[in-house]
Amino acid sequence: MAQLKTRSKLLAVLGASVVVLSGLFWIGATVWFFGDENPDRLQDRDWVAQAEQLCSQARTELARLPQARDARNLTDRANQIDAATEVLAQMKAALVALAPKGEDGAVLALWFQTWDSYLADRQTHSDALRQGEDRQFRVTADPQRGDGVDALLDAFANRNRMASCGDPLDIG
């Protein structure tokens, strides 16, 4: 009977050890595999912190503006989109002015180009509203990835832990 209890304890300890070691293995593998080696991950984490702060401030400013979905008519809606687009354009310009050089700068240049496409899509949409075309907001699709530029903005922002720097989702 005592031998059976000892064996049960030993098996329980062994089983728990296997579970713990397996968990540690997968955590280590995940950190190693998905760690900082992603080419979209910026090395200048100080810039990332500054960018998140700038983007967060822009989001606060956007929240103060009238929402496009609450507009009385298409022209009013276009004007509201234009006002929000101006806030985003100023945010992007501030980010560009702070951009580091080197590899991070090259990666950011591509992201800024994506922002340019997104901002142009917003302008195209507000222009269409002024022409009387009540349509869904459409963004440019990246020819290489097939994703919309809004998704690319979000992916990069999320990968670098700058959630406020993605698509503001303010056009309903």
Side-chain angles (χ1 to χ4, degrees):
M1 185 78 150
Q3 190 177 16
L4 189 57
K5 280 187 173 184
T6 303
R7 179 179 270 172
S8 293
K9 281 185 178 183
L10 182 61
L11 287 174
V13 168
L14 185 61
S17 297
V18 167
V19 169
V20 169
L21 289 174
S22 178
L24 289 174
F25 168 79
W26 284 110
I27 289 170
T30 301
V31 168
W32 173 76
F33 186 73
F34 295 111
D36 297 343
E37 299 304 315
N38 187 305
D40 281 349
R41 187 175 193 288
L42 300 172
Q43 298 305 310
D44 187 342
R45 304 315 287 170
D46 290 334
W47 186 88
V48 168
Q50 288 179 311
E52 175 58 24
Q53 185 175 20
L54 280 170
C55 295
S56 180
Q57 290 169 354
R59 290 283 179 116
T60 299
E61 202 172 326
L62 288 175
R64 290 186 194 127
L65 295 174
Q67 296 298 301
R69 63 181 158 267
D70 298 331
R72 295 182 313 270
N73 56 53
L74 295 181
T75 301
D76 191 32
R77 186 167 188 217
N79 292 338
Q80 290 168 342
I81 291 170
D82 286 346
T85 300
E86 181 59 29
V87 170
L88 295 172
Q90 289 173 7
M91 177 196 79
K92 186 224 158 207
L95 293 171
V96 169
L98 291 174
K101 305 291 182 220
E103 286 182 37
D104 280 355
V107 171
L108 283 167
L110 296 172
W111 189 55
F112 295 145
Q113 287 175 359
T114 305
W115 264 107
D116 289 339
S117 294
Y118 177 74
L119 294 172
D121 291 340
R122 292 174 66 97
Q123 187 61 57
T124 298
H125 185 67
S126 68
D127 290 346
L129 291 171
R130 280 193 184 80
Q131 298 294 322
E133 186 182 338
D134 190 6
R135 64 180 173 114
Q136 183 177 0
F137 176 51
R138 295 184 289 252
V139 296
T140 303
D142 181 89
Q144 294 174 338
R145 298 182 187 176
D147 293 329
V149 292
D150 55 341
L152 298 176
L153 291 176
D154 288 344
F156 185 84
N158 290 334
R159 178 67 185 116
N160 283 285
R161 294 183 176 90
M162 308 182 303
S164 298
C165 295
D167 179 3
L169 301 171
D170 63 324
I171 300 179

